[in-house]
Each structure stands twice: as structure tokens, then as C-alpha cells.
Amino acid sequence: MAELVLKVHPDDNVIVALKDLKKGQTINYKDEEFVLQDDVNAKHKFFTNDMQTGDEITMYGVLVGKAQHFIPKGGVMNTENTKHAADPFEYRPYNYQWTPPNVSKFEGRTFNGYHRKDGRVGTANYWLFMPTVFCENRNLDVIREALHNELGYAVTDKYKKYAHHLVEAYKKGEDIDNINLAPAAQSITGDRLFKNIDGIKFLNHQGGCGGTRQDAGVLGKLLAAYADHPNVAGVTILSLGCQNLQTKQLLEEIKLRNPNFDKPLLVFEQQQSQSEEQLISDSIKQTFEGLVEANNIERQPAPLSELVLGVKCGGSDGFSGISANPAVGYTSDLLAALGGKVLLAEFPELCGAEQNLIDRTIDEDKAKKFIHLMTTYNSQAEAVGSGFYMNPSPGNIKDGLITDAIKSTGAAKKGGTSPVVDVLDYTEPVVKPGLSLVCTPGNDVEATTGKAASGATLILFTTGLGTPTGNPVCPTIKVSTNNVLTKRMSDIIDINCGPVVEGEKTIEEMGEDILEYCIKAASGEVIPKAVLLNQDDFIPWKRGVSL
């Protein structure tokens, strides 16, 4: 029988409702009775004792807020009676003891990936188009339409047919209310000319000129990281010519990141071309020739230690920190124990979890780098009247994440419990096996964009409210926190952690299931929904204030 409530940590003075609870209802938990003073919706919390003004509120065993006025025992937590608070943090000498999970079930297992000449292994084989400046976005759109439709990568055929039927009905004077969308048969590779090319991806963006030179510099490092990504087989660059981010600078960034870079790299500059027509036709023809060669690369077995897993949450709810995030965290621990790499980012969503992460950081310099990045980032936000405490969205709050510290401490669960082996600034590449922290905003797309830049070859994305977010070069696997979301948005959800909430599965069992799915996704045996939908979201971080 499913439990009604859950106390996450023995030291907590709040309890999470797993089901909708009514005012006046008596809850028995751990030999104690609580009479609810308010309705408490599922995902929300009620207090275990009377709270006075200024009393500390604890969840996950850490400070997450302070009471703003008297709150009776059994009263619901809300934005009126609770405000964000988090403990200060500092470097303390490393003394962390970690017991790795049992990985005997996965030892010796492999996935079928694309082996690159530098030794890295991709989970997909993409050709990448990137503009040095936003002026070329239109040309990329034209090329996308031509190549996607002709080579079998388009996913919008059913909508085009729907629009066509509406037009025809209108011309005939018929009632368009009778025209319905006809579902199209999902064909993963059947219509594709190049069976070993998983997609042709386009990095449309709004940068490259008009902003600061620093923005152009960061964009250059980001595009270089994507060109060098192990899931990318070749690159076509479109440039205008006069922009801040010069092609020469981008090529230098690529070589700086990987001195042995040897992928096919095609460059087209519009101001040196005879016409728009020549620019586009030449880029299509030469890219086609590159695709012919890239199609010769086939999947081959690789150890699980070659996986690079990015973990992310978005559209989070009150169940994120007790179902999906801890389950993904167990997956992270399994992969770390197997010698793989794990990336935990979203620095505004680590507010309140800092001390735990610092205490787990092996190297003192890396721990201090994390402290510097966190404090500098938050200070920049505060300088413009914001701050990490303002990170929770209206949707987060509505579904139980009342303070940033509650959201963040639950979000940090995605990183598991393994030692932190490295701290990376935005676009820095992951090199060490184990858990690395990556400085990115919490914004869904900016964060996934940054994770892929640091080398994630798969992203596990947990959500309680539902988000279609994906990434152009990194297959993104959507993990639901609850059964209701999974049923309502089954077209975007890949894995359901609702059984954890219902008491049907343990965190450990769910974590193992997630890793099994990752192995299949990395091998191309299953295609995540975001990939099926061509959900290729890409937003460069301009290093200004973005939470």
C-alpha cells in the first residue's frame, strides 16, 4: 500500500504529502500524530511542530528556509509563511568516505557507439551546421528544409499534410472543422538515405556580433566544443564575413580545444560568395559528399566507462527530489563506480547544497574554484536586483518547491553521492572519470547546451511538470517524477519514476532501470522522444545574469 506522506531526512521539520490531504485529517507517521491545519496538496509540505517567527526550516537535513510568522504544527508550507534561507559554506579539508554501489550487474557490459580517432566514443553520429553569426540563420533554415526533407530526417510531414488538407477544404468551400490531423507512422531510419547518420543538426543562435567581444569569444568556445563533440562526425560552418566572431577565431578555438582535430570541416563565407544561391548550393553539395563518407562509420562495442552522462532537471515539482532525482543520482553513482563520467551543472540550483558538494570535492583547488564560481555568479545576479533565491519558477512553487534551497537540494540529488573529481567552468571539457561540476545557468536549454559543450554524450533530464527540451548533439532522455505526468505527456516522457512515489520500486531499482535504458539509447536501440521530435534546443550563455 502506498504511503500518504514521507519525511525525507530524520532531522527535517517538514513532511511531504504524497497524496492530496485534507484539512482536519489526522496523519500517523513514525508513531506520531499530525492534525492538518490546512489542505495539503500532493508534493507540498506540512510542519511537524509549531514554528515561531525566524525559526529555521529543515528539509533534506539542511536549512531551506525560515518561518516568517507563527505556523502551527500541521500547517502547510507556502510562500507567505516561508522564505528562502541557506547555510553559509566554506572549504573544509577533504575527509569524505564513499561506499560505491554494487555494480556486478553491469561489469563487463558494453554499448554500441561511434569510435572517434582520439579515443572518445559517441552515442550518435551527427553532421553539424553552425553559423558564426545570427545573420546566417535564415540560410541554415533553408538548408535544413532541403536536407531534412530529402534525406529522411524531417518529422513534420503529418502537419504539412494537415495544413494541405485545410487549404484544399477551404478552396472547395468545405467546413474545415471536419478536417482532423492524421497520425503519421513513426519511421526511425526506414526513409533515411544514410543509415549510419543519426541526424543533421543546425545550431541557430542570436550571437556572433552586436554584443560584447567577450560574448563573441564565449560563443566561439561553445561552437568549438560542439564541433569537437564525440557525437559529431563533420561540420559545416556558415559565416557572413564582417561579424565579431571571425571564422579564423572559431577555427583557432577548435584547434586550441583539440590540437589533433581531424573531422571534415567545411567553411562558407557569404560576403566572398557570388550569390546566396551559390553559397547554399555549394554548402549542400559539399556537405552531401561529407555525409557519404561519414556514413561509413558504424557502431562498435565500447565499455560503459566511455559514457559521459549529463544530469539535468527542468519543470521540477515537489516529487523531483524524492523520486526522479535520487533515482538518476543512483544511476550517476553506478556509472561513476564503473569508471564513466557524470556532469552535474545548474549552479543556481545548487544553492543550499554547496557545503555537501565542497566536502565531497577531492582537490582543494577545485573546491575553491567551485566556491569562487558560485559566489561570483550569485553576486552578479544580486548586482542587478536578482539572486539565486529567485530561481524557482511559478510552476515550481505551485507544485511544492517553495524556496530555492528546497529546489536546489533536491536538484543536487541527481549527482548521486560519489566524490567530486573536478569543477569545470562553462565549455571546459570533462577529462576525469567520476562526478564533475559544470558552471551553467539553471535555465533548461542554457544548461543542456553547456553540458553538451563539456562533453556529455547522453543527458538524463528529470521533470515533474513536463518539458520537451532536447539538444542538437546529445540525446536527451526525459525522466518523469510521477505517474500523472507520464500519462498526460507520454509523447515526451521516456522513463517513469512514479513507481518510487507509489512505493512499488526502490530508488536503487529505478536507478538500475535508468542505466539499462541509457545503454540502449547509447547503442541506438531505443530513440528518446526528444530525438524523435527533433527537439534541438540550443541557447548560448552570454555570461550575463541568467538563472
Side-chain angles (χ1 to χ4, degrees):
M1 180 178 175
E3 297 286 347
L4 293 177
V5 297
L6 172 70
K7 191 175 186 180
V8 180
H9 189 279
D11 295 339
D12 292 354
N13 54 14
V14 295
I15 290 178
V16 184
L18 301 180
K19 305 288 183 182
D20 288 345
L21 307 175
K22 294 298 183 182
K23 179 179 180 179
Q25 186 172 348
T26 299
I27 301 297
N28 292 287
Y29 186 75
K30 301 294 184 182
D31 299 324
E32 188 173 359
E33 286 190 350
F34 303 93
V35 179
L36 300 183
Q37 305 300 306
D38 310 278
D39 289 343
V40 184
N41 293 332
K43 309 178 186 180
H44 285 262
K45 295 90 184 165
F46 62 87
F47 291 93
T48 62
N49 50 270
D50 289 346
M51 303 291 291
Q52 306 297 327
T53 302
D55 281 355
E56 294 187 347
I57 301 169
T58 302
M59 187 175 176
Y60 300 107
V62 301
L63 175 66
V64 297
K66 289 189 177 182
Q68 299 303 292
H69 53 70
F70 172 76
I71 312 166
K73 177 180 178 179
V76 68
M77 177 192 289
N78 56 43
T79 55
E80 297 302 317
N81 61 31
T82 300
K83 296 300 179 186
H84 167 85
D87 282 322
F89 50 90
E90 62 182 357
Y91 172 73
R92 299 189 295 211
Y94 182 76
N95 191 33
Y96 184 66
Q97 301 297 317
W98 183 54
T99 302
N102 183 351
V103 295
S104 58
K105 182 178 179 180
F106 297 96
E107 286 178 336
R109 296 277 298 277
T110 61
F111 71 98
N112 287 321
Y114 294 98
H115 292 247
R116 305 304 177 189
K117 292 180 181 179
D118 61 8
R120 292 179 297 167
V121 183
T123 63
N125 199 36
Y126 296 125
W127 191 280
L128 188 62
F129 276 80
M130 58 173 64
T132 57
V133 64
F134 56 81
C135 306
E136 293 301 314
N137 283 344
R138 177 266 179 191
N139 292 333
L140 258 69
D141 290 342
V142 172
I143 295 169
R144 177 196 287 114
E145 184 176 356
L147 290 180
H148 272 194
N149 289 339
E150 192 62 31
L151 300 183
Y153 298 102
V155 297
T156 57
D157 187 58
K158 62 182 178 181
Y159 301 112
K160 292 178 181 178
K161 290 179 179 178
Y162 181 49
H164 175 74
H165 291 154
L166 289 171
V167 170
E168 291 300 309
Y170 175 76
K171 288 180 177 178
K172 296 176 183 178
E174 298 174 355
D175 185 359
I176 63 173
D177 288 340
N178 296 322
I179 306 299
N180 297 314
L181 176 68
Q186 286 282 5
S187 175
I188 307 303
T189 60
D191 298 330
R192 293 181 182 174
L193 178 63
F194 300 118
K195 304 304 180 185
N196 294 323
I197 302 294
D198 296 303
I200 304 171
K201 303 298 182 177
F202 298 80
L203 302 186
N204 290 45
H205 59 78
Q206 304 304 314
C209 201
T212 67
R213 294 301 172 94
Q214 289 85 349
D215 287 342
V218 172
L219 177 63
K221 293 181 183 298
L222 178 65
L223 296 179
Y226 272 65
D228 187 48
H229 197 281
N231 288 357
V232 172
V235 185
T236 301
I237 297 172
L238 263 61
S239 171
L240 179 60
C242 58
Q243 69 280 342
N244 284 349
L245 178 56
Q246 289 287 292
T247 301
K248 179 182 177 182
Q249 180 184 353
L250 175 56
L251 298 179
E252 288 173 349
E253 289 288 358
I254 293 173
K255 281 298 183 180
L256 183 63
R257 186 178 183 91
N258 185 355
N260 298 315
F261 183 91
D262 62 353
K263 297 176 186 176
L265 188 65
L266 309 175
V267 179
F268 300 91
E269 190 163 291
Q270 188 162 10
Q271 289 173 347
Q272 298 301 316
S273 182
Q274 292 180 4
S275 63
E276 172 261 9
E277 186 176 88
Q278 183 196 35
L279 175 83
I280 292 177
S281 60
D282 284 353
S283 62
I284 290 176
K285 181 179 181 180
Q286 292 184 39
T287 298
F288 188 91
E289 294 170 346
L291 289 167
V292 171
E293 292 300 316
N295 190 52
N296 293 324
I297 306 171
E298 297 183 350
R299 292 182 182 270
Q300 299 293 334
L304 299 187
S305 57
E306 292 299 327
L307 287 175
V308 184
L309 184 64
V311 292
K312 170 77 180 84
C313 55
S316 300
D317 70 351
F319 285 160
S320 292
I322 64 176
S323 64
N325 288 351
V328 165
Y330 191 75
T331 305
S332 298
D333 283 347
L334 288 170
L335 190 59
L338 290 163
K341 301 179 180 73
V342 180
L343 304 177
L344 175 65
E346 306 174 88
F347 276 22
E349 296 183 14
L350 298 180
C351 178
E354 297 100 335
Q355 192 63 62
N356 174 268
L357 293 169
I358 293 165
D359 290 345
R360 288 163 51 191
T361 303
I362 294 173
D363 183 87
E364 179 178 352
D365 288 341
K366 298 299 182 182
K368 291 181 177 178
K369 180 178 180 180
F370 173 63
I371 292 171
H372 172 72
L373 288 170
M374 285 290 288
T375 54
T376 302
Y377 191 170
N378 189 45
S379 295
Q380 289 175 333
E382 290 178 343
V384 294
S386 186
F388 285 175
Y389 70 94
M390 297 184 71
N391 177 263
S393 70
N396 295 151
I397 295 168
K398 180 177 178 291
D399 270 51
L401 300 178
I402 302 301
T403 73
D404 186 52
I406 294 176
K407 179 180 180 181
S408 297
T409 311
K413 298 292 183 184
K414 303 188 303 294
T417 61
S418 71
V420 175
V421 299
D422 208 351
V423 176
L424 309 173
D425 201 353
Y426 186 65
T427 76
E428 283 189 308
V430 61
V431 293
K432 296 181 179 180
L435 175 64
S436 294
L437 307 180
V438 185
C439 186
T440 75
N443 173 292
D444 291 352
V445 179
E446 286 177 318
T448 52
T449 298
K451 276 191 222 304
S454 285
T457 55
L458 286 177
I459 290 175
L460 284 174
F461 191 116
T462 68
T463 183
L465 305 177
T467 168
T469 304
N471 182 265
V473 302
C474 186
T476 302
I477 300 163
K478 219 58 59 60
V479 184
S480 170
T481 71
N482 63 88
N483 291 338
V484 173
L485 172 65
T486 304
K487 292 176 182 177
R488 189 176 69 249
M489 300 185 75
S490 60
D491 54 336
I492 69 165
I493 298 298
D494 300 297
I495 301 171
N496 178 27
C497 289
V500 173
V501 177
E502 301 300 324
E504 298 166 356
K505 280 194 175 185
T506 66
I507 292 294
E508 293 77 15
E509 289 170 336
M510 200 73 240
E512 289 185 349
D513 289 350
I514 293 171
L515 183 53
E516 290 286 2
Y517 186 97
C518 287
I519 295 170
K520 292 179 181 178
S523 302
E525 295 173 15
V526 296
I527 310 297
K529 304 290 179 60
V531 178
L532 286 174
L533 294 171
N534 277 351
Q535 188 76 40
D536 297 334
D537 302 319
F538 178 79
I539 300 180
W541 184 24
K542 297 176 70 175
R543 295 309 294 258
V545 177
S546 178
L547 298 178

